[in-house]
Amino acid sequence: MALTAKQQLFLALALAFPFFQVAICGDPDITSDFLVPAGTNATQLDGQFFTYTGMRPLITSDPPTTFTATKATMAEFPALNGQSVSYAVLQYPAGSVNPPHTHPRAAELLFLTYGTLEVGFVDTTNKLFTQRLQAGDMFVFPKGLVHYQFNYNEKDFAIAISAFGSAAAGTVSVPSAVFTTGIDDEILAKSFKTDDATIQKLKAGLAPNA
Ligand SMILES: *[C@@H]1O[C@H](CO)[C@@H](O)[C@H](O)[C@H]1NC(C)=O
């Protein structure tokens, strides 16, 4: 029996539905005020559970000598689970870079609190958007797009605070993902239209002990 046009459309929608669900790439909405970790007695929760003190050392310690991202995601701060928010404090020594990377599950709203930064992201048409920020400026990196920050001041450090629209935004570093995960030299040489020696040099420079 042949299906009518309406039946065909319905069947197509029914088959596609699971894929639409997969394509919604963000934190799920929860149906309670907050999520209590497994094994925790909910009646014993208090304000402590909703407090994160892991950033306190940043206030008192000297600035780091390499680019450092200190995160407060649901991994460090379990009360964020289900709340679709997280933070990272980003410290940039003079002249340092946060290499190109993406956050697959969230946009990033960066607030530069000290110093200067050159920021940039590339959209899905390969258009580059860049800006030089001064302290007090904000910049938004759209969800999932490749982006970077560079402290172009060779004499002074910079500090930024980034908010994410996910409790677990995830980070994919472009250099690490491509050159430190064991992808075959020949595949990379063909992909980057270069030779094996160049790929090996890039891999060596990114090796953990380099
Ligand atoms: C949870 O804590 C409350 C208050 O301390 C206590 O009365 C209750 O028995 C506890 N429940 C469980 C399952 O341990």
Side-chain angles (χ1 to χ4, degrees):
M1 185 192 79
L3 297 174
T4 66
K6 206 170 174 181
Q7 283 171 327
Q8 284 176 4
L9 178 67
F10 187 77
L11 186 64
L13 285 174
L15 289 173
F17 184 65
F19 299 104
F20 283 136
Q21 282 198 312
V22 170
I24 298 169
C25 193
D27 291 11
D29 279 336
I30 58 173
T31 51
S32 57
D33 296 346
F34 48 85
L35 297 178
V36 179
T40 302
N41 182 340
T43 62
Q44 288 176 342
L45 283 186
D46 58 17
Q48 193 68 38
F49 176 67
F50 300 94
T51 306
Y52 183 65
T53 59
M55 298 287 183
R56 281 184 186 177
L58 296 182
I59 307 299
T60 50
S61 51
D62 291 336
T65 53
T66 56
F67 166 74
T68 303
T70 308
K71 296 173 186 173
T73 71
M74 63 180 263
E76 297 83 18
F77 185 9
L80 297 187
N81 191 12
Q83 304 302 330
S84 306
V85 289
S86 58
Y87 260 144
V89 176
L90 309 166
Q91 295 170 289
Y92 310 80
S96 67
V97 70
N98 181 6
H101 63 280
T102 74
H103 304 292
R105 290 179 288 277
E108 172 177 357
L109 181 58
L110 180 146
F111 177 39
L112 182 61
T113 58
Y114 181 85
T116 55
L117 279 184
E118 179 168 324
V119 298
F121 72 84
V122 179
D123 74 7
T124 57
T125 70
N126 274 345
K127 180 176 176 179
L128 173 66
F129 298 80
T130 62
Q131 187 69 21
R132 286 198 161 190
L133 306 179
Q134 65 178 61
D137 293 350
M138 278 192 191
F139 192 85
V140 63
F141 301 100
K143 182 171 170 175
L145 300 183
V146 172
H147 62 279
Y148 58 85
Q149 299 106 28
F150 170 49
N151 177 7
Y152 59 88
N153 186 328
E154 296 290 339
K155 294 201 170 75
D156 203 0
F157 64 96
I159 301 177
I161 298 170
S162 276
F164 298 88
S166 166
T171 299
V172 178
S173 166
V174 174
S176 303
V178 175
F179 295 110
T180 72
T181 55
I183 300 176
D184 192 82
D185 289 354
E186 187 186 350
I187 294 169
L188 290 177
K190 285 187 174 169
S191 302
F192 286 84
K193 303 191 191 305
T194 185
D195 50 39
D196 286 12
T198 303
I199 295 299
Q200 281 157 19
K201 206 171 164 186
L202 285 164
K203 285 185 170 179
L206 290 163
N209 299 319

